[in-house]
Amino acid sequence: QVQVVESGGGSVEAGGSLTLSCAASGSTYINYVVGWFRQAPGKEREAVAGIYTGPGTAFYVDDVKGRFTISQNSANNTIDLQMNKLKPEDTAMYYCAADQAYGGSSHSLALRLRGADFRAWGRGTQVTVSS
């Protein structure tokens, strides 16, 4: 059973940067799919970015393209979400989710993110961006 733990949230001014980390453990999957999601107060949870760890395929929603980067941190064995040029509307609880990967294309990754099709979820880490 996969366990997921997020870290790295905090408060920052608009235009600043934060890096979130996701540690997934407890499974022997060769290829993981990891997704970052966020939920602001009063809003539905939405996908932010995802990655297939095997081929390294990444996907971003339009709102964060060019500002956020998802990557594999081999030194820490985490999936990191580097967030730059943060805006107040990025304020939310950010969740990491992980599961076994069955594909490798950006199209399949987008579908999985849109369906929030993950079996293991973390408890979230808060990101607050002030104007």
Side-chain angles (χ1 to χ4, degrees):
Q1 186 174 358
V2 179
Q3 291 85 41
V4 176
V5 177
E6 308 94 338
S7 62
S11 297
V12 65
E13 292 185 351
S17 299
L18 282 173
T19 299
L20 306 182
S21 294
C22 175
S25 62
S27 178
T28 57
Y29 299 151
I30 295 175
N31 186 15
Y32 280 84
V33 56
V34 177
W36 281 99
F37 297 78
R38 66 186 179 186
Q39 187 168 19
K43 295 188 177 181
E44 293 186 354
R45 184 181 60 195
E46 61 178 358
V48 176
I51 189 169
Y52 284 128
T53 62
T57 306
F59 180 86
Y60 303 90
V61 297
D62 288 344
D63 187 44
V64 305
K65 281 181 181 177
R67 300 191 299 124
F68 291 10
T69 302
I70 189 170
S71 63
Q72 300 182 65
N73 185 328
S74 58
N76 297 328
N77 200 24
T78 58
I79 301 298
D80 293 348
L81 184 69
Q82 173 69 41
M83 305 185 295
N84 298 325
K85 301 178 182 179
L86 283 162
K87 306 174 182 179
E89 50 264 42
D90 293 318
T91 295
M93 183 71 78
Y94 282 71
Y95 298 90
C96 180
D99 205 336
Q100 184 175 7
Y102 298 105
S105 71
S106 58
H107 177 68
S108 65
L109 180 55
L111 289 176
R112 197 150 185 181
L113 287 169
R114 290 190 182 120
D117 183 17
F118 295 79
R119 287 177 289 179
W121 291 79
R123 293 186 175 184
T125 185
Q126 179 68 38
V127 172
T128 302
V129 184
S130 59
S131 58

